[in-house]
Amino acid sequence: MIRLIEVVKQFDRFDLREVFVNPRHVVSLREDGHIKQALNEGKLPEGLDERQSFTKLTLDKGTVGLELTIVGAPALVESKLKNSQQVLNG
C-alpha cells in the first residue's frame, strides 16, 4: 500500500485527506487540469503552492473504476507507485 494525498470536493469547497492505494489496482494516471484551475481560483486549502500539479488516478474496482484526484504530477505519483513496498503480501 502507498500513502497519497487526495483532493475531495465537499459541497462548494475542497479538502485534503490521506488515502492508501494498492499499486496493483491502478489502471491509469493523467493530469487533472480542473483541480489546478480550482487551486488558481483559491478554492483549495491554504498552503498549497500555486505551481502544484494534480493527478487523476483510476483504480480497478471490478465492473467500474474509481477515480481519485491526487496531489502531485502524474510522473511523481508513478514513481511513488513503482517504489512502494508490498506490505500486505502475507
Side-chain angles (χ1 to χ4, degrees), residues 25-75:
H25 294 281
V26 175
V27 176
S28 69
L29 301 170
R30 65 182 186 277
E31 190 168 357
D32 189 341
H34 174 71
I35 298 298
K36 176 76 172 175
Q37 182 180 355
L39 174 65
N40 292 335
E41 294 171 358
K43 295 180 181 177
L44 269 70
E46 289 185 27
L48 285 174
D49 190 308
E50 62 189 30
R51 298 169 293 179
Q52 183 66 58
S53 296
F54 301 91
T55 298
K56 184 70 75 174
L57 181 144
T58 305
L59 294 171
D60 181 11
K61 192 178 169 190
T63 58
V64 293
L66 173 65
E67 288 192 335
L68 306 174
T69 299
I70 303 298
V71 176

